[in-house]
Amino acid sequence: MSEGIGAAAERDRRCSWCGRVKPATAFHRMGVGRRRSRCTDCHAATRTRTPGKCYPETLEGQRERKLRARYGMTGKQYEMLVGAQEGRCAVCGKVPSRLVVDHCHRTGRVRGLVCDGCNIKIGAYESSRAEVEAFLAKCGNGHPVMGY
């Protein structure tokens, strides 16, 4: 290869993560004449959010951080809710594979833990509450045209 623009970028390089020397093609491009400092293997490993150099946070730490940021609660409080509800959805009473935090979008207050299906139903109902309540008030026991 002739020495020119980008020639240095195409030489073998050392990965900043694993320290191995690899061909330039083992590093993702970052524009003209530039490549990432980590090889594709190391870059892929850090993108899966495995605990390590780039993402030291554990899965428990991520859950704790998200619970505090989104709902103002700790992991211990979440586990207390699971225990109080006996692992059941607060709406349908089923024992799902996971429970999500249901909260009021206006006030931010936590209402309980629900399964994914009930969480979707609650969200759909809340977004069109007035229309649903008007319909039920008008036709709750049957449509007037049907005669019952």
Side-chain angles (χ1 to χ4, degrees), residues 16-141:
S16 65
W17 182 269
C18 65
R20 285 181 258 168
V21 175
K22 297 184 176 186
T25 55
F27 297 81
H28 288 295
R29 287 191 181 273
M30 290 180 41
V32 179
R34 294 181 57 210
R35 292 193 179 263
R36 292 195 180 278
S37 63
R38 289 179 288 180
C39 66
T40 53
D41 295 334
C42 291
H43 181 72
T46 60
R47 298 302 299 159
T48 59
R49 296 207 177 250
T50 52
K53 185 176 178 182
C54 197
Y55 300 105
E57 191 173 47
T58 61
L59 291 177
E60 293 81 25
Q62 286 179 16
R63 189 183 84 176
E64 183 80 25
R65 180 178 46 81
K66 287 178 181 179
L67 285 171
R68 186 169 302 283
R70 291 179 182 168
Y71 313 112
M73 65 190 298
T74 64
K76 187 176 265 187
Q77 289 172 319
Y78 176 88
E79 294 303 327
M80 286 173 53
L81 275 174
V82 171
Q85 292 181 203
E86 299 174 345
R88 298 182 180 282
C89 171
V91 176
C92 68
K94 294 179 183 172
V95 179
S97 58
R98 76 179 195 133
L99 290 167
V100 296
V101 178
D102 176 54
H103 67 288
C104 176
H105 286 241
R106 240 178 344 113
T107 64
R109 294 183 68 181
V110 173
R111 295 185 285 220
L113 303 177
V114 298
C115 65
D116 284 324
C118 289
N119 191 38
I120 291 168
K121 291 172 194 169
I122 291 168
Y125 173 72
E126 283 186 336
S127 65
S128 58
R129 180 180 289 195
E131 293 92 346
V132 171
E133 288 176 353
F135 170 77
L136 291 175
K138 181 174 88 175
C139 306
N141 294 327

